[in-house]
């Protein structure tokens, strides 16, 4: 049996084991996926150990994605280096490619996940006017994916310097959060790449009165229906939750490791069922 895993700290909340193990079962593959708590100082030892024990591949989450780029033995691809973060590690290169043995390669599949979620919802990204709120790690991955697909990207962030830096790297335009009203009115697609909405009681990042039915609203938060998505659905706008980004980034990692097409529908169902189980336990 091939072992796969996700490293992070904390890690107990991860839905990746449920998602990836459902994929292995659906395809009848002899693989299993586990979550491992790994602190930043122990990342190097943990990755080397996983490779030595014959792991099939790894995912990385907070706070390890950026740290992975400092590993001198890891060969990160150009996209991961541009984004500044690695979330997927393969111990022999992408499956199906002749890249030699004993190579530890790093990828970032977050942007792929976001782009696939938009396309799955019928969004024609090329030429779309996209308002991206946030300039953190997830926002960077999304911005690079949007730029590569030909979207017109506007980036609004509380820290204007970070917005400037990200916008400059993808040919976009930066704004502060005080500019949201005119930006929302001009946008075709609105993406919340911040943590606002993750917790009940969070304030709305966008005044609901600004949203119109022609908008596509994408919120990368996946643990609950955010007020932003509720507002979008209530006026008939297209609403995409963060589950789909999670699923598609995981599907891309699965394909890198195995060379098999990932069963995204099965993976989505596993994530949503796990989320519902957590909600029910919390309400008891």
């Amino acid at each position: 049996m091939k072992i796969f895993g996700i490293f992070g700290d904390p890690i107990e909340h991860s839905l990746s084991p449920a998602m990836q193990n459902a994929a292995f079962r659906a395809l009848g593959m002899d693989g299993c996926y586990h979550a491992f708590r790994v602190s930043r100082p122990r990342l190097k030892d943990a990755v080397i150990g996983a490779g030595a024990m014959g792991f099939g591949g790894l995912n990385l989450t907070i706070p390890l994605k950026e740290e992975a780029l400092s590993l001198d033995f890891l060969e990160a691809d150009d996209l991961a280096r541009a984004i500044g973060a690695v979330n997927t590690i393969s111990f022999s290169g992408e499956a199906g490619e002749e890249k030699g043995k004993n190579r530890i390669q790093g990828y970032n599949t977050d942007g792929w996940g976001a782009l696939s979620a938009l396309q799955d919802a019928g969004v024609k990204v090329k030429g779309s006017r996209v308002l991206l709120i946030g300039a953190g790690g997830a926002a960077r991955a999304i911005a690079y994916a949007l730029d590569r697909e030909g979207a017109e990207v506007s980036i609004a962030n509380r820290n204007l310097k970070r917005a400037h830096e990200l916008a400059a790297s993808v040919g976009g335009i930066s704004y502060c959060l005080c500019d949201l009203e005119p930006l929302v009115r001009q946008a075709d697609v609105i993406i919340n790449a911040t943590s606002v909405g993750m917790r009940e009681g969070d304030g709305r990042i966008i005044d609901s009165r600004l949203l119109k039915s022609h908008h596509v609203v994408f919120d990368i938060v996946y643990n609950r229906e955010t007020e932003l998505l509720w507002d979008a659905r209530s006026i008939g706008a297209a609403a995409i939750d963060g589950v789909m980004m999670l699923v598609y980034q995981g599907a891309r990692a699965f394909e890198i490791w195995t060379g098999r097409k990932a069963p995204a529908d099965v993976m989505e169902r596993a994530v949503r069922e796990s989320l519902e189980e957590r909600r029910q336990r919390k309400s008891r």
Side-chain angles (χ1 to χ4, degrees):
M1 177 176 285
K2 206 73 171 176
I3 307 297
F4 300 81
I6 181 168
F7 291 172
D9 185 18
I11 198 60
E12 295 78 10
H13 66 286
S14 177
L15 294 170
S16 291
M19 175 174 67
Q20 299 290 6
N21 285 321
F24 288 126
R25 287 193 300 269
L27 296 183
M29 297 179 68
D30 196 15
C32 64
Y33 186 106
H34 299 281
F36 300 89
R37 187 172 184 177
V38 175
S39 63
R40 187 184 283 112
R42 301 308 300 270
L43 177 61
K44 181 176 181 177
D45 292 340
V47 174
I48 291 174
M53 290 187 290
F55 274 46
L58 296 170
N59 287 130
L60 302 179
T61 187
I62 295 171
L64 306 177
K65 293 182 182 183
E66 293 80 9
E67 184 71 18
L69 286 173
S70 68
L71 300 178
D72 54 9
F73 55 80
L74 185 138
E75 300 176 27
D77 70 1
D78 291 342
L79 179 59
R81 290 202 172 278
I83 293 170
V86 168
N87 79 332
T88 299
I89 291 177
S90 169
F91 292 102
S92 57
E94 186 167 350
E97 294 185 5
E98 296 295 332
K99 293 191 175 182
K101 297 180 179 180
N102 302 320
R103 297 180 68 182
I104 302 179
Q105 293 188 276
Y107 307 86
N108 191 303
T109 67
D110 285 332
W112 173 281
L115 190 61
S116 298
L118 288 168
Q119 293 170 334
D120 188 53
V123 178
K124 183 181 177 182
V125 176
K126 185 175 182 178
S128 293
R129 295 168 297 181
V130 180
L131 168 58
L132 178 61
I133 306 173
R140 287 187 63 83
I142 294 170
Y144 273 87
L146 292 171
D147 177 56
R148 288 188 168 198
E149 199 64 20
E152 299 177 17
V153 185
S154 297
I155 299 166
N157 191 52
R158 180 173 53 189
N159 184 320
L160 193 53
K161 180 182 177 183
R162 294 190 70 177
H164 281 320
E165 292 171 349
L166 179 53
S169 67
V170 298
I173 304 174
S174 58
Y175 300 90
C176 69
L177 292 181
C178 60
D179 296 316
L180 280 181
E181 182 170 343
L183 290 172
V184 169
R185 297 187 190 281
Q186 297 164 12
D188 301 312
V189 179
I190 301 164
I191 303 176
N192 175 37
T194 76
S195 61
V196 175
M198 188 177 293
R199 295 164 293 275
E200 291 185 26
D202 281 356
R204 281 171 163 77
I205 198 162
I206 293 175
D207 187 330
S208 61
R209 294 170 294 182
L210 298 175
L211 298 177
K212 305 299 177 185
S213 59
H214 69 271
H215 281 131
V216 174
V217 180
F218 179 19
D219 197 325
I220 72 167
V221 171
Y222 63 79
N223 66 309
R224 61 185 293 269
E225 180 180 60
T226 64
E227 287 72 15
L228 176 61
L229 290 184
W230 189 91
D231 290 340
R233 289 193 177 101
S234 69
I235 61 166
I240 307 168
D241 64 21
V243 167
M244 298 316 301
M245 178 175 169
L246 175 69
V247 167
Y248 283 120
Q249 65 80 26
R252 178 61 185 140
F254 183 94
E255 292 167 0
I256 288 171
W257 299 325
T258 68
R260 300 279 299 273
K261 182 173 176 56
D265 56 338
V266 172
M267 298 168 82
E268 179 190 356
R269 185 161 59 248
V271 170
R272 295 196 186 279
E273 288 175 353
S274 295
L275 284 170
E276 183 58 31
E277 289 172 5
R278 289 184 182 184
R279 292 187 190 107
Q280 290 180 1
R281 286 198 301 269
K282 188 176 179 179
S283 65
R284 289 172 188 164

